[in-house]
Amino acid sequence: MRKPVIAGNWKMYKNVGDSIATAVALKPLVANANHCEVVIAPVFTALKPVADRLEGSNVHVSAQNCATEQSEGALTGEVAAFMLRDAGCSHVIVGHSERRQYFLETDAIVSKKVQAGLAAGLTVIMCVGETLDQRDQGKAQSIVSEQLVGGLSGLTASDLDRIIVAYEPVWAIGTGRTATPEQAQEMHAFIRRVFAERHSQGAAESLRVLYGGSVKPDNIAGLMKQTDIDGALVGGASLKAESFAEIVNYSR
Ligand code: PGA
């Protein structure tokens, strides 16, 4: 049985005070959610204070990005994965489409970040997903497969249980336009097949594949009914403790 994951990606929203307030409000609302792993991803500056407030709770803290390099060094503006672990993170999101699009992250860069996250002992949520143009041209599966294979190259069998894949069609992010549960299911099943070919059937069966893109309290249940959807990566609807808690609670 794969334990679902509901992860909130706060993107570049909330200062330290607002992040703490949201995390503290969320904690009791999801305290009974044993059916899934609950993760929130605040901005870098809020990671440590939020992680401190959530210590001992069932809410895990994730970063939204990490450096490609694994050890400290002269890399102005970067934060290494081991520093995120030190700040109280258990997870890191890598390869989000906003990073691929605005910060020109390639699969090779994403792959280095995956390796860095794993080396630091973090669970890595690697995002993949096609743009609308790519889907319209019938390239959705080839793009997702390329991102999967490129981002997850060089992994050993022992790394695989700390990999989570998030399928986020770019056309569904922040647009209010969700993929239908059937569209998502089709791609999730495909991702699992690609993973099985690259690794093993057993690893593919244990892999958690999250859906992301305009997930809300009113569409999570339909998505979760699909056999290959193991949770969600939630942007906008994760910013308020109440709506995120509803998503967590409706994901049963
Ligand atoms: P959204 O964002 O839920 O606001 O569409 C999802 C994401 O980018 O992870």
Side-chain angles (χ1 to χ4, degrees):
M1 263 303 274
R2 300 185 290 267
K3 190 167 192 180
V5 179
I6 304 291
N9 173 11
W10 291 359
K11 308 193 179 184
M12 200 174 75
Y13 290 99
K14 296 180 189 292
N15 59 21
V16 173
D18 293 339
S19 300
I20 293 173
T22 307
V24 167
L26 179 66
K27 193 160 64 160
L29 301 178
V30 298
N32 295 324
N34 303 317
H35 67 287
C36 71
E37 279 171 32
V38 181
V39 182
I40 54 172
V43 295
F44 280 135
T45 49
L47 290 172
K48 171 78 174 136
V50 163
D52 285 348
R53 296 322 189 279
L54 293 176
E55 216 181 314
S57 80
N58 62 334
V59 183
H60 302 276
V61 177
S62 176
Q64 302 172 15
N65 184 27
C66 68
T68 52
E69 297 311 307
Q70 298 186 10
S71 42
E72 57 190 355
L75 290 163
T76 304
E78 291 298 283
V79 181
F82 81 86
M83 296 166 177
L84 300 172
R85 178 82 195 248
D86 176 59
C89 292
S90 52
H91 293 63
V92 61
I93 298 169
V94 304
H96 189 279
S97 63
E98 286 152 15
R99 301 227 41 100
R100 293 178 188 263
Q101 204 176 338
Y102 308 131
F103 302 96
L104 311 182
E105 287 192 6
T106 60
D107 291 329
I109 292 175
V110 174
S111 163
K112 282 189 164 185
K113 293 185 176 191
V114 169
Q115 299 287 350
L118 291 172
L122 298 171
T123 294
V124 176
I125 303 175
M126 189 186 85
C127 306
V128 296
E130 80 286 358
T131 62
L132 190 55
D133 259 10
Q134 291 164 336
R135 176 161 281 259
D136 288 345
Q137 290 167 30
K139 292 188 190 151
Q141 289 195 344
S142 61
I143 292 290
V144 166
S145 156
E146 207 175 288
Q147 292 173 340
L148 264 182
V149 171
L152 299 179
S153 63
L155 297 190
T156 63
S158 62
D159 295 328
L160 299 180
D161 57 343
R162 281 189 293 119
I163 292 289
I164 296 172
V165 172
Y167 169 58
E168 300 202 303
V170 178
W171 45 273
I173 295 177
T175 58
R177 182 175 162 191
T178 333
T180 62
E182 295 71 26
Q183 274 174 326
Q185 165 58 28
E186 193 185 0
M187 188 62 89
H188 282 227
F190 173 74
I191 289 171
R192 211 177 293 288
R193 281 202 301 280
V194 172
F195 204 79
E197 280 161 23
R198 301 285 302 181
H199 301 287
S200 66
Q201 192 60 35
E205 273 160 25
S206 315
L207 176 73
R208 270 94 53 93
V209 186
L210 316 185
Y211 169 77
S214 300
V215 173
K216 306 265 174 330
D218 63 6
N219 59 24
I220 184 69
L223 290 160
M224 293 302 293
K225 282 206 189 87
Q226 305 297 319
T227 15
D228 288 291
I229 299 185
D230 308 309
L233 182 56
V234 186
S238 72
L239 292 171
K240 288 207 165 67
E242 296 72 21
S243 62
F244 188 58
E246 280 181 26
I247 293 173
V248 168
N249 291 320
Y250 295 163
S251 70
R252 275 170 219 279

mmCIF file of all heavy atoms in Angstrom, residues 10 13-24 46 50 239:
data_model
loop_
_atom_site.group_PDB
_atom_site.id
_atom_site.type_symbol
_atom_site.label_atom_id
_atom_site.label_comp_id
_atom_site.label_asym_id
_atom_site.label_seq_id
_atom_site.Cartn_x
_atom_site.Cartn_y
_atom_site.Cartn_z
ATOM 1 N N TRP A 10 4.008 26.584 -1.047
ATOM 2 C CA TRP A 10 3.631 27.981 -0.774
ATOM 3 C C TRP A 10 4.288 28.960 -1.743
ATOM 4 O O TRP A 10 4.021 30.149 -1.693
ATOM 5 C CB TRP A 10 3.972 28.345 0.674
ATOM 6 C CG TRP A 10 3.113 27.658 1.688
ATOM 7 C CD1 TRP A 10 2.081 26.788 1.452
ATOM 8 C CD2 TRP A 10 3.181 27.785 3.121
ATOM 9 N NE1 TRP A 10 1.515 26.369 2.623
ATOM 10 C CE2 TRP A 10 2.176 26.962 3.669
ATOM 11 C CE3 TRP A 10 4.003 28.502 3.991
ATOM 12 C CZ2 TRP A 10 1.959 26.853 5.053
ATOM 13 C CZ3 TRP A 10 3.794 28.394 5.365
ATOM 14 C CH2 TRP A 10 2.789 27.586 5.887
ATOM 15 N N TYR A 13 5.276 33.108 -1.346
ATOM 16 C CA TYR A 13 4.241 33.789 -0.587
ATOM 17 C C TYR A 13 4.573 33.689 0.899
ATOM 18 O O TYR A 13 5.164 32.702 1.317
ATOM 19 C CB TYR A 13 2.875 33.140 -0.835
ATOM 20 C CG TYR A 13 2.342 33.384 -2.224
ATOM 21 C CD1 TYR A 13 2.486 32.413 -3.211
ATOM 22 C CD2 TYR A 13 1.715 34.584 -2.565
ATOM 23 C CE1 TYR A 13 2.009 32.629 -4.496
ATOM 24 C CE2 TYR A 13 1.237 34.807 -3.844
ATOM 25 C CZ TYR A 13 1.385 33.823 -4.815
ATOM 26 O OH TYR A 13 0.921 34.040 -6.072
ATOM 27 N N LYS A 14 4.151 34.667 1.665
ATOM 28 C CA LYS A 14 4.188 34.691 3.131
ATOM 29 C C LYS A 14 5.576 35.040 3.679
ATOM 30 O O LYS A 14 6.567 34.387 3.349
ATOM 31 C CB LYS A 14 3.784 33.343 3.752
ATOM 32 C CG LYS A 14 2.356 32.930 3.466
ATOM 33 C CD LYS A 14 2.083 31.597 4.132
ATOM 34 C CE LYS A 14 0.742 31.038 3.687
ATOM 35 N NZ LYS A 14 -0.398 31.793 4.170
ATOM 36 N N ASN A 15 5.596 36.033 4.556
ATOM 37 C CA ASN A 15 6.823 36.320 5.301
ATOM 38 C C ASN A 15 6.913 35.341 6.480
ATOM 39 O O ASN A 15 6.066 34.440 6.609
ATOM 40 C CB ASN A 15 6.865 37.786 5.739
ATOM 41 C CG ASN A 15 5.677 38.147 6.620
ATOM 42 O OD1 ASN A 15 5.053 37.269 7.223
ATOM 43 N ND2 ASN A 15 5.354 39.427 6.702
ATOM 44 N N VAL A 16 7.903 35.524 7.334
ATOM 45 C CA VAL A 16 8.120 34.557 8.417
ATOM 46 C C VAL A 16 6.896 34.487 9.344
ATOM 47 O O VAL A 16 6.402 33.402 9.670
ATOM 48 C CB VAL A 16 9.398 34.914 9.220
ATOM 49 C CG1 VAL A 16 9.533 34.012 10.451
ATOM 50 C CG2 VAL A 16 10.630 34.778 8.330
ATOM 51 N N GLY A 17 6.392 35.646 9.723
ATOM 52 C CA GLY A 17 5.257 35.676 10.657
ATOM 53 C C GLY A 17 4.030 34.976 10.080
ATOM 54 O O GLY A 17 3.378 34.180 10.777
ATOM 55 N N ASP A 18 3.722 35.259 8.830
ATOM 56 C CA ASP A 18 2.539 34.636 8.204
ATOM 57 C C ASP A 18 2.741 33.129 8.028
ATOM 58 O O ASP A 18 1.799 32.345 8.140
ATOM 59 C CB ASP A 18 2.272 35.253 6.815
ATOM 60 C CG ASP A 18 1.851 36.711 6.915
ATOM 61 O OD1 ASP A 18 1.384 37.117 7.996
ATOM 62 O OD2 ASP A 18 2.013 37.436 5.920
ATOM 63 N N SER A 19 3.967 32.750 7.747
ATOM 64 C CA SER A 19 4.248 31.320 7.565
ATOM 65 C C SER A 19 4.034 30.574 8.883
ATOM 66 O O SER A 19 3.394 29.510 8.914
ATOM 67 C CB SER A 19 5.691 31.103 7.097
ATOM 68 O OG SER A 19 5.916 31.756 5.873
ATOM 69 N N ILE A 20 4.554 31.156 9.951
ATOM 70 C CA ILE A 20 4.379 30.518 11.275
ATOM 71 C C ILE A 20 2.892 30.445 11.609
ATOM 72 O O ILE A 20 2.389 29.407 12.049
ATOM 73 C CB ILE A 20 5.148 31.300 12.368
ATOM 74 C CG1 ILE A 20 6.660 31.186 12.131
ATOM 75 C CG2 ILE A 20 4.774 30.794 13.764
ATOM 76 C CD1 ILE A 20 7.493 32.075 13.063
ATOM 77 N N ALA A 21 2.171 31.540 11.382
ATOM 78 C CA ALA A 21 0.744 31.580 11.741
ATOM 79 C C ALA A 21 -0.023 30.499 10.967
ATOM 80 O O ALA A 21 -0.864 29.784 11.545
ATOM 81 C CB ALA A 21 0.171 32.965 11.441
ATOM 82 N N THR A 22 0.280 30.347 9.689
ATOM 83 C CA THR A 22 -0.440 29.342 8.887
ATOM 84 C C THR A 22 -0.086 27.931 9.361
ATOM 85 O O THR A 22 -0.965 27.071 9.499
ATOM 86 C CB THR A 22 -0.093 29.495 7.382
ATOM 87 O OG1 THR A 22 -0.315 30.852 7.007
ATOM 88 C CG2 THR A 22 -0.943 28.592 6.523
ATOM 89 N N ALA A 23 1.187 27.709 9.632
ATOM 90 C CA ALA A 23 1.619 26.372 10.066
ATOM 91 C C ALA A 23 0.995 26.009 11.412
ATOM 92 O O ALA A 23 0.527 24.882 11.617
ATOM 93 C CB ALA A 23 3.144 26.325 10.157
ATOM 94 N N VAL A 24 0.969 26.974 12.312
ATOM 95 C CA VAL A 24 0.417 26.724 13.650
ATOM 96 C C VAL A 24 -1.097 26.489 13.566
ATOM 97 O O VAL A 24 -1.651 25.652 14.288
ATOM 98 C CB VAL A 24 0.781 27.902 14.604
ATOM 99 C CG1 VAL A 24 -0.014 27.850 15.888
ATOM 100 C CG2 VAL A 24 2.283 27.884 14.885
ATOM 101 N N ALA A 46 11.599 31.048 6.061
ATOM 102 C CA ALA A 46 10.637 30.603 7.077
ATOM 103 C C ALA A 46 10.823 29.137 7.454
ATOM 104 O O ALA A 46 10.144 28.636 8.354
ATOM 105 C CB ALA A 46 9.217 30.843 6.565
ATOM 106 N N VAL A 50 9.372 27.651 11.046
ATOM 107 C CA VAL A 50 8.180 26.807 10.869
ATOM 108 C C VAL A 50 8.477 25.386 11.368
ATOM 109 O O VAL A 50 7.686 24.789 12.092
ATOM 110 C CB VAL A 50 7.717 26.810 9.386
ATOM 111 C CG1 VAL A 50 6.778 25.653 9.099
ATOM 112 C CG2 VAL A 50 7.049 28.144 9.050
ATOM 113 N N LEU A 239 -2.394 27.808 0.675
ATOM 114 C CA LEU A 239 -1.953 29.014 1.385
ATOM 115 C C LEU A 239 -2.801 29.310 2.616
ATOM 116 O O LEU A 239 -2.350 29.968 3.541
ATOM 117 C CB LEU A 239 -1.952 30.219 0.434
ATOM 118 C CG LEU A 239 -0.898 30.142 -0.681
ATOM 119 C CD1 LEU A 239 -1.102 31.257 -1.696
ATOM 120 C CD2 LEU A 239 0.514 30.209 -0.099
#
